[in-house]
Amino acid sequence: MPFLIGLRRGLSSWIFRLLGRKRTARIGIYGPPNAGKTTLANRILRDWSGEAMGSVSPIPHETRRARRREGVMINANGRSVVLDVVDTPGLATKIDFHEFMAHGLSEEEAKRRAKEATEGVIEAVKWLDDLDGVILVMDATEDPFTQVNVVVVGNMEARELPLIIVANKIDLEEANPQRIESAFPQHPIVPISALEGTNIEQLYEEITRRFGR
């Protein structure tokens, strides 16, 4: 696998040198807590740079500050793009510290996490002013008609920014990506398992097509 990653990176660099040009797009990965945003960011970075973005956890709001990696080159189906990838904190309309206590955190830890998670939501919203596009990650096992999903989709449409919706967790038996396709038919939907890498090449093709212009 390291050999394949190195080969892929080498080919991408060669293509950019051959073309004599470099396209860079700053892309934010958005979505509700525990939809798999950081798992997807880790998958993209490991495939194309050999690094990782951050840790994941079953406790909501593990990512509470935006994290950024620059110069991630992706090449798929004859197209290439360089991404600045921003992994954003989970968006939520309500953050209750009792939810964290249910996961075993002390009251002090839970309140601190709730405060940091709230600050993270504000930071994620601010990033929308400085992006070229968004990958919106939805949990394919859950109802897509949430306030968070509808607001993010509407915001991107108002800004006329490219948007790809990822229907994540299709490795789970209860996943229903068709429900997401029915909810947002005006946008490209890519069903994947970020954890297992299922359909990840299809996502890379969509990324280069949407953000590589």
Side-chain angles (χ1 to χ4, degrees):
M1 191 62 181
F3 170 75
L4 293 176
I5 292 173
L7 179 61
R8 179 180 283 176
R9 294 180 63 191
L11 285 173
S12 296
S13 299
W14 178 80
I15 289 170
F16 279 115
R17 288 196 301 272
L18 179 66
L19 294 176
R21 59 184 177 177
K22 180 179 179 182
R23 296 171 176 146
T24 301
R26 182 172 296 164
I27 302 303
I29 300 179
Y30 280 77
N34 283 5
K37 300 180 299 302
T38 300
T39 301
L40 176 58
N42 285 339
R43 170 68 61 180
I44 294 173
L45 262 64
R46 284 175 176 143
D47 281 354
W48 297 99
S49 73
E51 301 176 346
M53 181 69 83
S55 60
V56 298
S57 168
I59 303 175
H61 296 282
E62 174 68 12
T63 302
R64 300 185 293 282
R65 295 298 304 270
R67 292 176 291 211
R68 178 181 172 191
R69 294 290 186 277
E70 298 179 283
V72 181
M73 290 190 294
I74 293 179
N75 177 39
N77 201 28
R79 297 171 183 261
S80 300
V81 64
V82 178
L83 298 182
D84 288 350
V85 180
V86 182
D87 181 26
T88 66
L91 296 174
T93 55
K94 179 183 178 182
I95 299 174
D96 187 340
F97 75 92
H98 292 95
E99 181 182 3
F100 303 126
M101 293 181 66
H103 285 274
L105 273 62
S106 68
E107 182 173 339
E108 180 181 358
E109 291 172 326
K111 288 182 176 178
R112 181 172 61 250
R113 194 180 186 94
K115 178 177 181 294
E116 293 172 352
T118 302
E119 294 170 348
V121 171
I122 296 171
E123 183 185 13
V125 172
K126 287 181 177 177
W127 264 104
L128 285 172
D129 293 331
D130 199 26
L131 295 173
D132 300 307
V134 163
I135 298 174
L136 177 58
V137 182
M138 299 184 187
D139 186 335
T141 69
E142 298 184 353
D143 182 359
F145 286 105
T146 66
Q147 186 175 357
V148 167
N149 290 339
V150 171
V151 166
V152 173
V153 170
N155 199 306
M156 289 301 96
E157 290 174 345
R159 295 168 187 261
E160 298 183 345
L161 289 177
L163 170 68
I164 299 172
I165 297 176
V166 167
N168 193 27
K169 304 187 182 182
I170 63 169
D171 54 297
L172 299 180
E173 186 176 351
E174 62 271 33
N176 186 357
Q178 292 78 19
R179 192 165 47 179
I180 297 175
E181 293 173 357
S182 298
F184 303 101
Q186 71 274 36
H187 294 288
I189 313 288
V190 184
I192 71 165
S193 168
L195 182 65
E196 299 185 353
T198 307
N199 288 349
I200 198 67
E201 292 297 332
Q202 182 183 341
L203 177 60
Y204 293 147
E205 291 178 10
E206 193 62 38
I207 286 174
T208 57
R209 182 162 42 243
R210 297 287 291 176
F211 304 140
R213 296 172 180 170

